[in-house]
Amino acid sequence: MKGLLAAFLVSAASLAGAAHAQTAEKVFFLLPNTTTIRFESRDAPFFVEAMKEMRPNAEVTVQNAQGDPQQQQKQIEDAITQGAKLILLTSADANLVAGGMAAAQSAGVPLVLYDHDAVGGKAEAHVVFDSLAVGQAQGKRAAELIGKMDKTPVKVARVKGNQGEYGTGQYEKGQDEFLKPLIDSGKVKVVCEQYTQNWDPTLAQSFAEDCLTKNGGDVDVFLGMNDGTTGGSVAALLSQGYKPGDKLVTGGQDATVEALRYVAQGWQDNSVLKDLKVEATEAAKVVTSILDGKGVPQELVNGKVNNQFMDVPAILLPVENITKDNLGEVVTKGVWTWKEICQGIESTEVCKANM
């Protein structure tokens, strides 16, 4: 009798396990690259954590395309084959993902865009920080600093993001609101400008080095669009023997810990803070609602992003400019600790004052 009971319990446990395997909702979070380090180190863990709280039955798989659009296409197709209930996508290249989007639509798998846009296909929603506001914050800060420079023209190198992306276009538009009047008045002369394929910091560094060489070092400002492109400019200055403050590097975005160290040291002026835990949590809310069969929560939608296929309902999140003067904001908000920011740069004034 005991043997029969044990067998029954084992069988019941096996059936329960099988039922769980059948009912587990497979969610795939597809990341774009490893060059923008925030996605693996911050966004993915935050999203997984939020999903555990909101949708414990969901099985979240995180994969990285390593900057290869073809690899990401295969990852989308594999996710569909594995029974994905939803794909959260940060495109490796916004202009080369339409095939993957079409595959998801054909298979009836909802696709939600995270941070990066994706051109030419259906998406349920786009969770992203307000890209125009980011560009405006960058442009306003740059204009304020340029206005204080006792020189005309101030020579500016523009290190732009990945060409063709919605975000890049919005950052440029926002920056131009403040930069173009200075250009038109003759206060600013753009001596170099280039888009940065896939936001690759090494390409940004090469561009900055070439710009310095071409102009005999006569470049006053490097204006980037994220911490990868500004970091490339800082690396170029380091490689050519400059010191903090010799050139103005501005236009950061993401508030990565590496960029904040540059801010503390004086290499980089600013970084636009995007609270990644908020972004990941809002994405989890959207994903959970769709899995519940309720669609995109309309109370979260406050804009739209046209991706050349449709107007994608957007959850646009607020941003804040971080400089040396308010560096403590990232600590107050729980993004980083002073210990993390000051690792290896404990002797800087801002770190000595806060450690």
Side-chain angles (χ1 to χ4, degrees), residues 135-136 139 158 160 169-183 193 223 225:
Q136 290 168 333
R158 300 190 70 177
K160 301 177 183 179
Q170 292 295 100
Y171 306 146
E172 190 168 2
K173 181 180 178 182
Q175 289 182 1
D176 282 347
E177 288 183 24
F178 297 89
L179 201 63
K180 196 171 184 305
L182 297 176
I183 295 171
E193 59 183 323
L223 175 59
M225 287 188 172

Side-chain angles (χ1 to χ4, degrees), residues 98-299:
M101 299 177 81
Q105 182 179 359
S106 178
V109 178
L111 190 147
V112 174
L113 305 182
Y114 185 92
D115 209 74
H116 292 184
D117 62 313
V119 174
K122 182 183 178 183
E124 304 300 318
H126 190 168
V127 182
V128 63
F129 289 90
D130 190 334
S131 300
L132 181 61
V134 171
Q136 290 168 333
Q138 293 169 334
K140 182 180 180 182
R141 179 66 179 174
E144 289 172 351
L145 296 170
I146 289 169
K148 295 176 182 178
M149 292 183 179
D150 187 20
K151 177 183 180 181
T152 300
V154 174
K155 296 181 179 179
V156 175
R158 300 190 70 177
V159 196
K160 301 177 183 179
N162 194 41
Q163 188 171 19
E165 283 189 15
Y166 170 82
T168 298
Q170 292 295 100
Y171 306 146
E172 190 168 2
K173 181 180 178 182
Q175 289 182 1
D176 282 347
E177 288 183 24
F178 297 89
L179 201 63
K180 196 171 184 305
L182 297 176
I183 295 171
D184 292 343
S185 70
K187 176 65 175 178
V188 163
K189 179 181 180 181
V190 178
V191 293
C192 305
E193 59 183 323
Q194 183 172 292
Y195 292 99
T196 308
Q197 186 176 1
N198 293 330
W199 299 91
D200 189 335
T202 58
L203 295 178
Q205 178 180 347
S206 296
F207 164 73
E209 289 172 342
D210 290 344
C211 184
L212 284 165
T213 300
K214 184 176 76 173
N215 290 279
D218 190 13
V219 182
D220 303 302
V221 180
F222 287 90
L223 175 59
M225 287 188 172
N226 78 338
D227 288 339
T229 52
T230 50
S233 296
V234 171
L237 295 174
L238 282 163
S239 73
Q240 296 198 12
Y242 290 95
K243 296 178 181 178
D246 287 347
K247 308 288 183 183
L248 173 63
V249 178
T250 189
Q253 172 187 177
D254 294 330
T256 65
V257 71
E258 293 80 8
L260 297 177
R261 288 179 192 139
Y262 283 150
V263 171
Q265 292 173 288
W267 281 110
Q268 180 170 320
D269 170 72
N270 77 305
S271 182
V272 176
L273 171 63
K274 303 192 303 188
D275 193 331
L276 303 182
K277 190 167 187 177
V278 170
E279 185 175 19
T281 301
E282 294 301 287
K285 290 178 184 177
V286 173
V287 168
T288 297
S289 181
I290 293 173
L291 292 175
D292 278 338
K294 299 177 182 178
V296 179
Q298 290 306 300
E299 68 274 13

